[in-house]
């Protein structure tokens, strides 16, 4: 659903070793943190190692594994989450950012289990120093 | 039928404007003001988890603000859409008791905000759920209206089982929300246009449309297996034409958005229809909805004495980024009003009249 909205244009930041980008919910209603199942983040084809990825939502920062079972924090449809990961990058220049999300939809359960949507987005933007 | 002709209440769900809300072009207040200014009411439906931060928690300040702005704009709250998130923790499904506990504050929020109906989803909730949550409905006075959404329809065995339970329980507070997406007559042209813009060939688009038309001729799937086969057929088509990336999209939309049941399948639950989602996908150059039989559905409701609210629910926003949802709602409302006149009745657009008629509609026994 509206996957073109996932990456917020012009939000790529870097401190040289860690890159961050703001991401939007590709769904029409709030989802709990526990719905965030898998996250991929890459810049110019260089993927952040999974164990380096951090997810910041409502002012709280999580490792991906720590999102499991979190049902007291919700991702509101007009809020940005901040995604960061170990991707070496210098400020400036034009970069291809890619984010892929797999999200559980908590009220849709099919014969194959809880519906998990897979959405991805690519956008080109300049990196600024964080 | 000897039923007196119904007078449905015109309105809209803010879900129709998801794209504008999500893009931060309109917040909740701006959308309500837009609805009032455009005359898209008087009925207004909102989805709790879409429009209200921290839903279902609604504090006194929010409740006061919401009631004040609805009064100021002379809008009529019709339905608050509630969700039974039984996989809120996807590692395990809630028990029925837990779903009841989860949904109780949502029903209470509906009451606090002045909504007489809570739309309930998912469709798979069993009769036991309704028996257990009925005391909450009775305590708050909120009608619980389970959404009948494609691939279900008004004569689907799951729905008939619930109807029978509602008949047995015999409470005016239990009924259905009829979603017009169950009774569609064609694959939405605006979605075909969106696929065209993604590079799908005319041959593939024709094949998708023809496959959907075949499912329409055959009618809705009777079993989960048949549903699965159709799902697979759409995916197969995408592979056959060299666009496997579009397969899941074809399948989800072809089976889950465009339900192929006939209008008269709503006969199965007509007396229990407490609320309606006027689901539609677009308005064409002739001012008509090419894939949802809006005129026939309005006639059906009127002839069955329906005087509840119809929330126009524009779903084409998923793929249609090139047309204004506001223009499209305006267009569908015009079709509804014209259809109501053709059926010998009218849509209610006056707020005071809408309040009186809605309350009398919801007070009626279901049988």
């Amino acid at each position: 659903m509206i996957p073109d909205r996932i990456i917020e244009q012009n939000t790529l930041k870097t401190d040289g070793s860690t890159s961050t980008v703001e991401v939007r919910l590709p769904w029409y209603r709030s989802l709990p943190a526990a719905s965030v199942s898998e996250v991929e983040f890459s810049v110019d084809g260089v993927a952040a190692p999974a164990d380096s990825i951090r997810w910041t939502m409502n002012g709280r920062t999580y490792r991906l594994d720590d999102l499991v079972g979190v049902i007291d924090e919700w991702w509101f449809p007009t809020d940005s989450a901040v995604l960061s990961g170990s991707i070496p990058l210098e400020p400036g220049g034009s970069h291809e950012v890619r984010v892929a999300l797999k999200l559980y939809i908590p009220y849709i359960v099919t014969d194959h289990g809880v519906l998990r949507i897979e959405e991805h987005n690519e956008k080109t933007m300049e990196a600024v120093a964080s | 039928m000897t039923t007196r002709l119904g007078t449905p209440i015109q309105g809209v769900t803010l879900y129709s404007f998801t794209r504008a809300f999500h893009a931060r072009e309109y917040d909740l207040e701006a959308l309500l003001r837009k609805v009032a200014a455009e005359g898209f009411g008087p009925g207004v439906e909102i989805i709790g988890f879409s429009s209200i931060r921290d839903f279902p928690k609604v504090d006194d300040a929010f409740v006061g603000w919401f009631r004040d702005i609805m009064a100021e704009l002379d809008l009529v709250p019709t339905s608050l859409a509630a969700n039974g998130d039984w996989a809120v923790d996807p590692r395990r499904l809630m028990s029925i008791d837990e779903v009841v506990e989860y949904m109780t504050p949502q029903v209470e929020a509906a009451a606090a905000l002045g909504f007489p109906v809570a739309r309930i989803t998912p469709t798979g909730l069993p009769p036991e759920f309704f028996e257990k949550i009925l005391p909450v409905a009775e305590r708050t006075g909120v009608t619980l209206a389970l959404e009948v959404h494609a691939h279900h329809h008004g004569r689907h065995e799951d729905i008939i089982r619930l109807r029978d339970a509602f008949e047995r329980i015999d409470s005016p507070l239990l009924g259905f929300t009829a979603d017009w997406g169950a009774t569609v007559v064609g694959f939405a042209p605006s979605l075909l246009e969106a696929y065209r813009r993604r590079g799908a060939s005319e041959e593939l688009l024709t094949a998708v449309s023809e496959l959907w038309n075949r499912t329409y001729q055959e009618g809705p799937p009777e079993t989960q297996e048949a549903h699965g086969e159709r799902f697979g057929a759409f995916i197969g088509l995408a592979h056959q034409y060299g666009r496997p990336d579009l397969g899941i999209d074809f399948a989800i939309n072809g089976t889950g958005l465009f339900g192929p049941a006939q209008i008269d399948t709503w006969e199965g639950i007509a007396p229990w229809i407490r609320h309606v989602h006027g689901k539609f996908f677009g308005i064409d150059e002739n001012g008509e909805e090419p894939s949802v039989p809006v005129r026939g559905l309005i006639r059906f409701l009127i002839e069955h004495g329906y005087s509840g609210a119809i929330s126009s629910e524009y779903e084409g926003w998923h793929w249609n980024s090139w047309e204004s949802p506001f223009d499209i709602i305006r267009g569908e409302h015009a079709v509804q009003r014209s259809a109501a006149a053709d059926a010998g009745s009218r849509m209610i657009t006056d707020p005071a009249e809408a309040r009186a008629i809605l309350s009398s509609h919801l007070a009626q026994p279901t049988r």
Side-chain angles (χ1 to χ4, degrees):
Chain A
M1 198 175 276
I2 41 178
D4 54 307
R5 296 274 180 83
I6 292 175
I7 300 174
E8 286 264 47
Q9 188 56 261
N10 300 330
T11 58
L12 180 62
K13 294 179 183 167
T14 177
D15 66 3
S17 59
T18 299
S19 299
T20 70
V21 72
E22 293 183 18
V23 297
R24 298 288 305 283
L25 175 65
W27 196 250
Y28 70 93
R29 54 153 283 197
S30 307
L31 297 179
S35 283
V36 179
S37 162
E38 289 184 27
V39 179
E40 294 170 14
F41 173 31
S42 64
V43 179
D44 299 330
V46 177
D51 61 1
S52 77
I53 289 180
R54 298 290 180 275
W55 183 267
T56 302
M57 192 165 87
N58 304 338
R60 293 173 66 176
T61 299
Y62 302 85
R63 294 167 182 273
L64 292 182
D65 288 349
D66 294 339
L67 290 166
V68 174
V70 177
I71 58 172
D72 57 353
E73 288 292 344
W74 291 69
W75 191 5
F76 195 67
T78 55
D79 286 350
S80 297
V82 179
L83 174 59
S84 75
S86 297
I87 302 174
L89 196 65
E90 293 305 315
S94 180
H95 300 281
E96 176 79 8
V97 181
R98 180 176 193 277
V99 173
L101 301 174
K102 294 184 182 175
L103 305 173
Y104 285 108
I105 302 303
Y107 65 97
I108 304 182
V109 181
T110 72
D111 292 349
H112 308 289
V114 184
L115 176 65
R116 191 172 75 154
I117 60 166
E118 303 184 8
E119 301 283 12
H120 61 88
N121 185 208
E122 294 83 26
K123 284 200 176 102
T124 302
M125 64 191 72
E126 195 171 322
V128 300
S130 58
Chain B
M1 301 253 338
T2 53
T3 312
R4 211 170 61 168
L5 294 181
T7 48
I9 296 156
Q10 177 179 286
V12 69
T13 165
L14 299 190
Y15 175 77
S16 300
F17 312 121
T18 294
R19 196 173 262 274
F21 181 77
H22 187 281
R24 303 167 177 152
E25 292 163 3
Y26 289 81
D27 62 12
L28 175 57
E29 177 174 347
L31 273 183
L32 291 171
R33 291 191 182 281
K34 176 78 171 170
V35 164
E38 292 278 358
F40 292 156
V44 172
E45 173 165 5
I46 68 175
I47 299 176
F49 282 110
S50 294
S51 298
I52 302 172
R53 195 177 284 279
D54 299 327
F55 185 78
K57 285 179 230 153
V58 285
D59 61 21
D60 291 347
F62 180 79
V63 168
W65 171 83
F66 185 79
R67 284 182 169 265
D68 284 351
I69 193 167
M70 293 293 278
E72 176 201 328
L73 298 173
D74 212 4
L75 295 171
V76 179
T78 55
S79 162
L80 179 73
N83 284 74
D85 293 333
W86 51 6
V88 69
D89 181 342
R91 293 173 299 177
R92 70 169 192 94
L93 295 186
M94 289 180 189
S95 67
I96 293 303
D97 285 339
E98 287 170 319
V99 182
V100 170
E101 189 184 339
Y102 184 85
M103 295 200 79
T104 294
Q106 299 185 49
V107 177
E108 290 168 343
L113 296 170
F115 289 94
V117 170
R119 181 291 314 254
I120 305 290
T121 198
T123 312
L125 289 167
E128 183 192 358
F129 166 79
F130 289 93
E131 283 171 303
K132 290 188 162 171
I133 201 169
L134 181 59
V136 180
E138 289 172 336
R139 171 164 56 79
T140 56
V142 172
T143 295
L144 308 179
L146 180 80
E147 181 163 357
V148 181
H149 187 286
H151 66 289
H152 287 94
H153 55 80
R155 287 207 182 103
H156 192 285
E157 60 181 4
D158 294 350
I159 302 306
I160 295 304
R161 190 160 48 241
L162 281 162
R163 180 204 66 185
D164 291 347
F166 292 168
E167 186 162 31
R168 177 170 48 76
I169 299 167
D170 195 20
S171 167
L173 296 171
L174 296 181
F176 294 102
T177 295
D179 184 297
W180 289 353
T183 44
V184 170
V185 296
F187 201 97
S190 65
L191 180 53
L192 293 174
E193 172 60 23
Y195 292 138
R196 189 174 286 119
R197 290 175 184 225
R198 288 168 70 182
S201 68
E202 291 306 315
E203 293 72 23
L204 174 54
L205 296 178
T206 302
V208 166
S209 205
E210 284 175 354
L211 175 58
W212 193 88
N213 289 341
R214 275 202 299 284
T215 71
Y216 178 68
Q217 295 303 329
E218 289 163 10
E222 296 298 331
T223 62
Q224 207 58 33
E225 211 177 354
H227 174 65
E229 276 171 24
R230 283 186 184 177
F231 199 91
F234 279 104
I235 293 175
L237 209 55
H239 281 267
Q240 190 186 328
Y241 284 82
R243 287 300 302 266
D245 56 310
L246 295 175
I248 295 282
D249 211 78
F250 289 165
I252 288 177
N253 294 324
T255 65
L257 270 191
F258 311 135
Q262 299 293 315
I263 293 174
D264 68 7
T265 51
W266 292 119
E267 293 274 6
I269 57 166
W272 285 272
I273 298 177
R274 292 314 213 190
H275 184 63
V276 170
H277 279 174
K279 165 76 56 64
F280 75 110
F281 306 102
I283 295 294
D284 67 15
E285 62 281 10
N286 303 313
E288 296 291 331
E289 195 344 318
S291 55
V292 178
V294 173
R295 290 178 179 278
L297 286 157
I298 290 283
R299 175 176 290 278
F300 178 93
L301 289 169
I302 284 173
E303 290 182 347
H304 286 74
Y306 181 77
S307 294
I310 298 178
S311 294
S312 279
E313 189 184 52
Y314 170 57
E315 188 90 47
W317 61 264
H318 288 271
W319 54 81
N320 188 332
S321 58
W322 61 90
E323 286 180 286
S324 154
F326 303 109
D327 292 345
I328 292 173
I329 288 288
R330 195 179 301 112
E332 201 225 12
H333 276 169
V335 177
Q336 289 186 14
R337 289 193 300 269
S338 156
D342 289 348
S345 182
R346 65 196 172 96
M347 297 294 296
I348 301 299
T349 56
D350 176 74
E353 199 179 8
R355 283 185 196 95
I357 287 177
L358 184 58
S359 117
S360 132
H361 161 73
L362 292 172
Q364 273 174 23
T366 43
R367 61 186 176 120

